[in-house]
Amino acid sequence: MEFRLGTAAIVFLGSYFPLSLILFAQNFQYPMLSRQFCWPLRQGACEIPLGAPIFSISMVALTLLCLIVTIFSLKIIKPAQDIEVFSAKYIPTDLMNYTLPYIVSFMSIEYSDTGKFVGFVVFLLWIFWISHRSGQIILNPVLIALSWRMYEVEYKFPGSDAKHSGKALAHGHLTAGPFKQSLVQAIQIIKP
């Protein structure tokens, strides 16, 4: 199964939920915390303590929604193809694509600085395109934090003696034994 562009974008955006939280925290106007709490928010009487509240809140909400959809999708995948895994070797994933934007975020990117923010968005679009074209969109640090691990596996299909090898994404530790798999962008999603 090949990711469609929309599905790939959802997985990609979900992987940047922590980055949206970092940018949210950088956009927060901490001196406003000393003011008295004001509710309901009335025009002129109350202020939201964010430099660009619409962008800040929408980016956190969008990336959180995408992360929830990604996790839910991985949970409901019901692999149908039986396989017998002979060996499973954990391989650390390449996190460079995902760490660069975090580093860049600490270079004073603010939602209110239009030029820098647009440049940052172009940078993220480029990383998205490279990740999508390389078939590595499913590999991201948020999934690693949620105990999904990448393996190099050797396996065979029932009724066949031919051995195959490939990359597999599994929740937790993967050992030899019978499993079910579903192929997503040349990466097997393996479940017991």
Side-chain angles (χ1 to χ4, degrees):
M1 175 175 98
E2 184 72 24
F3 271 148
R4 294 179 188 217
L5 197 57
T7 307
I10 288 171
V11 172
F12 184 79
L13 285 172
S15 69
Y16 283 109
F17 173 66
L19 178 60
S20 72
L21 290 177
I22 291 168
L23 291 173
F24 182 87
Q26 289 177 344
N27 196 36
F28 196 85
Q29 296 175 351
Y30 292 97
M32 292 181 83
L33 289 176
S34 62
R35 294 183 185 174
Q36 189 161 346
F37 184 74
C38 181
W39 189 260
L41 294 174
R42 281 176 264 146
Q43 193 68 8
C46 297
E47 286 184 70
I48 297 175
L50 295 168
I54 294 173
F55 278 126
S56 299
I57 294 168
S58 4
M59 289 308 291
V60 169
L62 175 66
T63 56
L64 178 60
L65 177 67
C66 290
L67 177 61
I68 290 168
V69 168
T70 300
I71 293 167
F72 181 72
S73 298
L74 283 172
K75 187 174 179 97
I76 65 168
I77 287 177
K78 300 225 184 289
Q81 179 67 50
D82 290 321
I83 61 169
E84 178 76 27
V85 174
F86 292 107
S87 70
K89 178 185 170 196
Y90 172 69
I91 51 173
T93 58
D94 176 25
L95 300 178
M96 198 58 184
N97 287 351
Y98 291 95
T99 54
L100 278 175
Y102 286 89
I103 293 166
V104 171
S105 75
F106 289 107
M107 296 180 189
S108 300
I109 291 179
E110 297 176 16
Y111 292 114
S112 57
D113 188 351
T114 307
K116 283 186 179 179
F117 184 69
V118 169
F120 185 64
V121 169
V122 169
F123 176 68
L124 283 176
L125 287 171
W126 184 247
I127 289 177
F128 166 72
W129 187 250
I130 291 169
S131 300
H132 180 61
R133 297 296 286 176
S134 69
Q136 303 296 309
I137 205 87
I138 192 97
L139 309 176
N140 67 63
V142 175
L143 292 180
I144 293 169
L146 296 173
S147 298
W148 286 89
R149 299 174 63 142
M150 181 61 64
Y151 292 91
E152 183 71 38
V153 294
E154 286 188 9
Y155 62 97
K156 74 172 190 164
F157 295 104
S160 171
D161 290 328
K163 287 187 178 181
H164 304 278
S165 64
K167 290 184 179 176
L169 188 65
H171 192 261
H173 296 282
L174 184 63
T175 58
F179 293 95
K180 293 192 177 286
Q181 66 97 12
S182 182
L183 198 61
V184 176
Q185 262 196 334
I187 296 175
Q188 300 172 62
I189 306 295
I190 293 183
K191 293 184 176 180

